[in-house]
Amino acid sequence: MKVMILGAAGQIGQMVTHNLLDQTDDDLVLYGHNVSSRLANLSSVRTKFVDGDFKEFSKIKMALSGVDAVYLSFVAGPDIIKGLLDVLEKADIKRFIAANVPDLYQEVSGPFQKWYRQNTGTVWKTAYKESANLIENSNLDYIILRITWLYNEAANIAVHVTKKGEPFKEAQVTRQAVSQFVVDLLTDKLDYHRESLGLGEPNTEFTKPSFY
């Protein structure tokens, strides 16, 4: 398979890249700002670097040749999502995984709700909700990942998944867990299709993330 990672130079983008290189035989298109220099250590016969902005849709379109799936490792507004969906659908890309944030559907609840909303505001009234709506109304085999507050902990890939319509209570999750979850979606180890999923770490129904 051939996978494009948009925002490949970010922490999770790099982790997903490493995991795919280690766990699969997939070829990768790594797209983002100055990725050819920032990710030079990942250069191999299986990686192709494309330096570009998220709004350079013509450049993304050219880089999609032979690509089977796209992972957007960036919480994008509707200006980016609209153009990206248009390019993906015209290129006949089916699988699309996009990062977003919790509370798109006012689902954050429990002890975490007060702190979260004080720090993020009313997410369901923001452009991120419109981004989710655009993806959900597309023809793509999409997954929206509503990811709670992130931290790093090597080898901690524990994740609790909630679906749209279910309460979201977890205050934190590791980047390592999110990265492995994305890889498991791309390799069909996880069977989710056209869904909005909340990702949190089990047993973290705290009033706020433990690192705050």
Side-chain angles (χ1 to χ4, degrees):
M1 195 166 78
K2 191 173 184 180
V3 178
M4 174 185 277
I5 301 175
L6 295 169
Q11 289 190 67
I12 291 178
Q14 291 188 54
M15 289 180 187
V16 169
T17 298
H18 281 289
N19 288 353
L20 286 171
L21 290 174
D22 290 344
Q23 299 173 26
T24 75
D25 295 321
D26 294 349
D27 292 326
L28 307 180
V29 179
L30 306 179
Y31 186 99
H33 293 126
N34 303 314
V35 290
S36 58
S37 57
R38 294 167 70 188
L39 303 181
N41 62 310
L42 295 174
S43 179
S44 80
V45 295
R46 292 169 55 197
T47 57
K48 176 184 178 181
F49 299 114
V50 181
D51 296 324
D53 184 87
F54 289 119
K55 292 185 180 180
E56 292 185 88
F57 302 118
S58 59
K59 184 177 287 188
I60 293 173
K61 180 180 180 180
M62 290 180 62
L64 282 171
S65 178
V67 167
D68 301 288
V70 173
Y71 168 53
L72 177 60
S73 188
F74 175 76
V75 182
D79 53 340
I80 291 173
I81 294 296
K82 284 178 184 176
L84 185 56
L85 290 175
D86 181 62
V87 167
L88 296 180
E89 290 184 337
K90 287 179 178 177
D92 202 30
I93 302 297
K94 298 301 182 185
R95 193 60 157 161
F96 178 49
I97 302 168
N100 210 310
V101 294
D103 229 15
L104 295 176
Y105 320 106
Q106 301 184 52
E107 75 276 15
V108 172
S109 59
F112 184 46
Q113 184 189 78
K114 181 179 179 181
W115 186 91
Y116 182 82
R117 291 182 178 173
Q118 284 177 340
N119 284 271
T120 61
T122 52
V123 170
W124 61 92
K125 294 182 180 180
T126 68
Y128 296 138
K129 178 62 166 66
E130 184 181 346
S131 293
N133 290 344
L134 289 167
I135 295 170
E136 290 174 327
N137 290 325
S138 75
N139 295 317
L140 301 178
D141 180 13
Y142 70 84
I143 294 292
I144 297 169
L145 297 179
R146 291 172 280 116
I147 305 166
T148 192
W149 286 63
L150 290 157
Y151 73 109
N152 291 327
E153 186 177 302
N156 180 358
I157 57 171
V159 64
H160 177 241
V161 181
T162 52
K163 295 190 175 187
K164 184 178 179 179
E166 298 177 339
F168 191 120
K169 300 180 179 181
E170 286 81 23
Q172 62 192 51
V173 69
T174 68
R175 291 180 179 85
Q176 288 80 359
V178 173
S179 302
Q180 187 60 51
F181 192 88
V182 169
V183 171
D184 289 346
L185 286 171
L186 290 168
T187 56
D188 293 329
K189 290 181 181 178
L190 293 172
D191 190 25
Y192 294 106
H193 302 275
R194 292 186 61 83
E195 294 196 70
S196 177
L197 305 175
L199 299 187
E201 183 177 332
N203 304 312
T204 63
E205 296 181 11
F206 308 147
T207 56
K208 63 179 182 178
S210 62
F211 43 88
Y212 274 85

